[in-house]
Amino acid sequence: MNSSGIEKGVVSEEVEPPRGNRSRFAFACAILASMTSIILGYDIGVMSGAAIFIKDDLKLSDVQLEILMGILNIYSLVGSGAAGRTSDWIGRRYTIVLAGAFFFCGALLMGFATNYPFIMVGRFVAGIGVGYAMMIAPVYTAEVAPASSRGFLSSFPEIFINIGILLGYVSNYFFSKLPEHLGWRLMLGIGAIPAVCLAIGVLAMPESPRWLVLQGRLGNAFKVLDKISNTKEEAISRLNDIKRAAGIPEDMTDDVIVVPNRKSAGKGVWKDLIVRPTPAVRHILIACLGIHFSQQASGIDAVVLYSPTIFLKAGLKSKNDQLLATVAVGVVKTLFIVVGTCVVDRFGRRALLLTSMGGMFLSLSALGTSLTVIDRNPGQTIKWAIGLSVTTVMTFVATFSIGAGPVTWVYCSEIFPVRLRAQGASLGVMLNRLMSGIIGMTFLSLSKGLTIGGAFLLFAGVAAAAWTFFFTFLPETRGMPLEEMESLFGSYTANKKKNVTKEGKEVVEEH
């Protein structure tokens, strides 16, 4: 019989790679997995400026334009719905390759589009890639990252989304100098290039060790864990934790085994997740859906997609000034997402979410008020209101990026039990994209019906409700091994929190 190199209580005497090399390998895996998010972010950001020229070139109405802007996220529901089952079937790594293929085809179709139906087909194909990418990148990263740096590494997809958005804004600014009919096509079509790089780079990544265990490939799983863990002892411990969570007896140590009572390719998952969940799983599912709903319903995509429109309403008249201000939004968003990523493992998920949503509420309230003042005084230049509008757009994206942006993906990728993780996370992504699509497709109509200031005051109300939900419902998960995460849930209260110290001891805090 083949042995995976792990016997009970025995550690191999092989020379271990230095700790730094192991950390760098996990770091490299997280970066490669997150490359899908650059393409996604670029596609979102570039449409913000391209829409100005597409509307003029293709003679679109406001309704056609807002549908074009938001429909990508509705289309992404197809990819999100299929991503969980697909990643359980072909693995996390090849699901990332599949996402890259959809991005490539979608970018080419949009770049060569000659009319409205043509560009909508391109948005549909790219949207499927969005759905796959938004689910699989954080799940893969969470499954390869050590618990001590999981929050940091799992935030990478959000960082790369923001880098992509910034690149899209910069692309808008530079390609806007070209003739109208050519500029927007290059803005959209150039997104095909990083998709090819992604597909090649992903081939250097290992498969998720948790997926390998679920397939009974213990030997391969241990080899991956040995490369991404800080010590060999940690790799053995992580493998045993995964086996326990998957229902595999500890004495089964062959390289390849038949997983006992295995429900292959995701069978039975929906029943355990939705139809007959345990109290803990029900709590986890509600927490995941609640945090995804809150992230999007508080209006972030209204700002990301319609920044030029918002700045026009705020008093910036030239397209050049609007695009420059939009680039500034991208820079602020990217800088603060890096800050949030660096502190998520230090201060915890819950603290960042509460701080973030509180700041978003204040920013949205001030933005809605200032835009209302400008709207009620047509023809007048109210400098303080213009300055406050521009400033609060920046503070809104900054406070979003320090918490609600990255922590949503970190939190939801780590809280589900291993067998439910892919499909549970895909449900969260589907709701996220649905809300993003609704906001994107209705913002212009909403701002006409309520006024643009009223629309942002509505988003402020959502942010206040989200803060209350986070405070009462979400427990802290910092430092907890993925296989023990379920023990934090089930009581529907966030007042009892179990933390893990650096020494690995569990501490229960009562507040």
Side-chain angles (χ1 to χ4, degrees):
M1 282 204 295
N2 293 329
S3 171
S4 63
I6 314 161
E7 299 294 340
K8 226 182 197 177
V10 177
V11 180
S12 172
E13 303 266 337
E14 293 176 13
V15 177
E16 298 183 15
R19 173 175 175 159
N21 290 341
R22 297 168 183 271
S23 300
R24 282 195 292 271
F25 187 76
F27 185 85
C29 291
I31 287 180
L32 284 171
S34 302
M35 284 294 292
T36 56
S37 303
I38 283 190
I39 309 170
L40 163 62
Y42 181 84
D43 201 54
I44 294 170
V46 78
M47 189 55 74
S48 174
I52 302 173
F53 307 102
I54 294 172
K55 182 180 180 180
D56 292 340
D57 189 33
L58 299 184
K59 306 296 186 293
L60 304 184
S61 67
D62 281 348
V63 173
Q64 286 178 311
L65 181 64
E66 65 183 357
I67 290 174
L68 177 66
M69 298 286 277
I71 198 67
L72 179 81
N73 295 302
I74 302 299
Y75 289 154
S76 73
L77 296 177
V78 178
S80 299
R85 190 68 175 266
T86 303
S87 67
D88 283 342
W89 179 38
I90 65 174
R92 312 319 195 206
R93 186 171 66 152
Y94 287 113
T95 303
I96 294 174
V97 174
L98 186 61
F102 279 111
F103 279 129
F104 175 79
C105 296
L108 288 183
L109 287 170
M110 288 188 288
F112 286 106
T114 54
N115 52 46
Y116 187 66
F118 196 156
I119 198 171
M120 288 291 279
V121 171
R123 295 291 273 174
F124 175 72
V125 175
I128 296 175
V130 168
Y132 273 107
M134 294 201 77
M135 190 287 290
I136 197 60
V139 166
Y140 175 86
T141 305
E143 292 187 342
V144 299
S148 60
S149 58
R150 188 176 61 242
F152 174 68
L153 296 180
S154 296
S155 298
F156 276 21
E158 186 67 16
I159 291 180
F160 281 81
I161 285 177
N162 282 274
I163 292 173
I165 289 173
L166 177 58
L167 291 175
Y169 288 161
V170 172
S171 172
N172 289 154
Y173 181 72
F174 285 104
F175 285 124
S176 66
K177 314 299 181 185
L178 297 174
E180 186 178 76
H181 71 282
L182 179 62
W184 69 263
R185 288 183 169 86
L186 283 174
M187 293 175 193
L188 299 178
I190 203 170
I193 296 174
V196 175
C197 300
L198 168 70
I200 296 172
V202 166
L203 297 178
M205 292 164 46
E207 184 52 83
S208 160
R210 286 169 173 82
W211 183 81
L212 291 170
V213 168
L214 290 177
Q215 309 309 305
R217 295 161 58 182
L218 301 186
N220 290 339
F222 179 72
K223 288 177 182 177
V224 175
L225 287 168
D226 193 34
K227 290 181 179 179
I228 62 178
S229 300
N230 292 324
T231 65
K232 191 173 289 290
E233 290 88 346
E234 180 186 332
I236 294 172
S237 175
R238 290 174 70 181
L239 179 61
N240 288 334
D241 287 343
I242 298 169
K243 287 168 60 180
R244 193 179 308 114
I248 300 173
E250 192 174 337
D251 58 0
M252 296 183 73
T253 59
D254 289 346
D255 281 352
V256 180
I257 65 168
V258 176
V259 179
N261 302 317
R262 180 185 166 210
K263 298 178 181 178
S264 61
K267 291 180 181 177
V269 167
W270 294 119
K271 184 177 76 173
D272 295 344
L273 192 60
I274 298 174
V275 181
R276 294 180 182 174
T278 64
V281 170
R282 185 182 297 111
H283 185 178
I284 288 170
L285 181 61
I286 295 172
C288 174
L289 296 180
I291 194 172
H292 274 293
F293 175 87
S294 301
Q295 187 203 51
Q296 290 300 326
S298 52
I300 184 61
D301 271 10
V303 173
V304 170
L305 290 173
Y306 294 102
S307 288
T309 302
I310 295 168
F311 290 130
L312 173 62
K313 295 286 187 181
L316 302 183
K317 301 302 182 184
S318 77
K319 288 183 179 179
N320 192 65
D321 289 345
Q322 294 163 22
L323 292 176
L324 276 176
T326 301
V327 170
V329 169
V331 171
V332 170
K333 201 168 185 295
T334 302
L335 289 176
F336 277 87
I337 205 80
V338 173
V339 174
T341 297
C342 292
V343 300
V344 67
D345 283 318
R346 180 177 180 183
F347 296 110
R349 287 57 160 153
R350 179 177 158 84
L352 288 186
L353 282 172
L354 292 173
T355 302
S356 173
M357 198 56 69
M360 290 164 62
F361 166 74
L362 295 175
S363 298
L364 288 166
S365 299
L367 177 59
T369 301
S370 60
L371 288 172
T372 299
V373 170
I374 294 171
D375 198 44
R376 290 184 177 178
N377 294 275
Q380 297 183 39
T381 301
I382 306 175
K383 291 185 178 180
W384 71 265
I386 294 173
L388 184 61
S389 295
V390 174
T391 301
T392 49
V393 167
M394 302 301 173
T395 59
F396 172 67
V397 297
T399 51
F400 172 88
S401 298
I402 206 169
V407 177
T408 294
W409 303 103
V410 173
Y411 199 87
C412 294
S413 65
E414 67 186 7
I415 57 178
F416 285 99
V418 61
R419 200 175 74 82
L420 308 179
R421 185 169 299 128
Q423 308 225 34
S426 73
L427 280 180
V429 173
M430 288 175 69
L431 180 61
N432 187 288
R433 294 299 87 198
L434 176 63
M435 292 309 303
S436 177
I438 290 172
I439 297 297
M441 292 172 64
T442 61
F443 179 72
L444 292 179
S445 299
L446 185 66
S447 62
K448 286 181 180 178
L450 298 179
T451 74
I452 191 167
F456 282 106
L457 290 174
L458 176 63
F459 294 146
V462 174
W467 191 95
T468 304
F469 174 80
F470 294 166
F471 183 78
T472 58
F473 208 77
L474 302 185
E476 181 57 71
T477 61
R478 178 183 53 149
M480 283 293 289
L482 291 182
E483 286 67 39
E484 298 176 21
M485 199 68 71
E486 195 173 351
S487 65
L488 295 174
F489 293 85
S491 62
Y492 295 92
T493 177
N495 292 331
K496 189 174 186 180
K497 300 182 291 182
K498 185 187 292 182
N499 291 325
V500 177
T501 65
K502 290 181 180 179
E503 292 76 20
K505 297 178 182 178
E506 291 182 355
V507 179
V508 176
E509 301 175 1
E510 298 284 355
H511 295 274

